[in-house]
Amino acid sequence: MNTIPTIFNQRSINRTVLGGRQRPAQVKMNVSVILINSQGSHLRLKNLEMLDRCGFEKIISMEPNSDNYNLEDFVNKYPSVKFIVPQEDVTTGDLINIGMEEVKSDYVLVLKDSLALSTLRLSPNAFQRLVERKQYCYVPRIFVDKNQALPINMIPHVKKGMLKIESVTNMLDNTPTLYPYDFLGLYNRQKFIQLGGFDYTIESPYWQNLDLALRAWLWGENIRITTTFGLSYLENAPVEDATSNLSQFRFYLKNLAPQFKLDHGEIPVSTLFRMIPRSACGLVETINQFKDARRWVEMNQYRFKTDTSNLILNWGSEK
């Protein structure tokens, strides 16, 4: 069993790093970008050309592999872009964690090549205003099918004792949202690192994304929708897979099991006895997972500012 990481980017991943030694010709904002590329994308050159013109402080291009194209040609054409090729299986969260290590800017915009990046319009002045607010994460408007807005405003509820998330299309600026859809957003790099980044032991993209986002809320940070800019998918938006599995179980232990007492978070021992009859991973594994989560919560007990029940009860009242 992999134990819950206790520091940012605790997992060491073998990787090949190319380029990125030159400073971009024109830096217009204190923002870097992490571009996550998929297998076989044919838009790399167009995407990099567009991003190179935007004035980012640094561009990190996360590559699935270099078997199908000559990465050296890209490095020569865009010497300020840093290309990273992991040499082992990684999660989306791993890729973002690696990218956060490689940049120094205050904010980092996470993008994917499944987006219509050629239509992206970014205003350095507008981005600067967002940076000055110092929020943890801003989620842009997201569209599909000729400007059809996706319901990316995620509102948490409790139904029959279970966490339920309602997604709506409310696009008011600065509206709170539980998590950034498909990892897409403008992240405060320092706060991201202080939160520990994405947990690589949670392999499901949905639960990994939700884990960091809910942790941010429980530890006193904010995730907000911004109408400053929007993103559009080239085709259909990805379907979120919220299947119940070991990733969900670990998410539950880290985020839903802790209770806020006076000035700290804790997982009561009694929680274990309620879990055992419902767990699908066996008695021994359930106990081990519980002990690991309880140890992790105890290490971070004074970072908790609330628990999930109170967060949901007071949702929308945050300033």
Side-chain angles (χ1 to χ4, degrees), residues 194-196 218-220 263 299-305:
Q194 290 170 351
L195 289 167
L218 297 180
W219 289 9
D263 61 351
M299 287 183 62
N300 295 288
Q301 59 182 312
Y302 293 111
R303 303 190 68 177
F304 284 83
K305 307 304 179 187

Side-chain angles (χ1 to χ4, degrees), residues 14 30-31 33 92 214 245 256 270:
N14 294 322
N30 186 12
V31 178
V33 64
T92 301
L214 188 48
N245 50 31
L256 305 185
S270 58

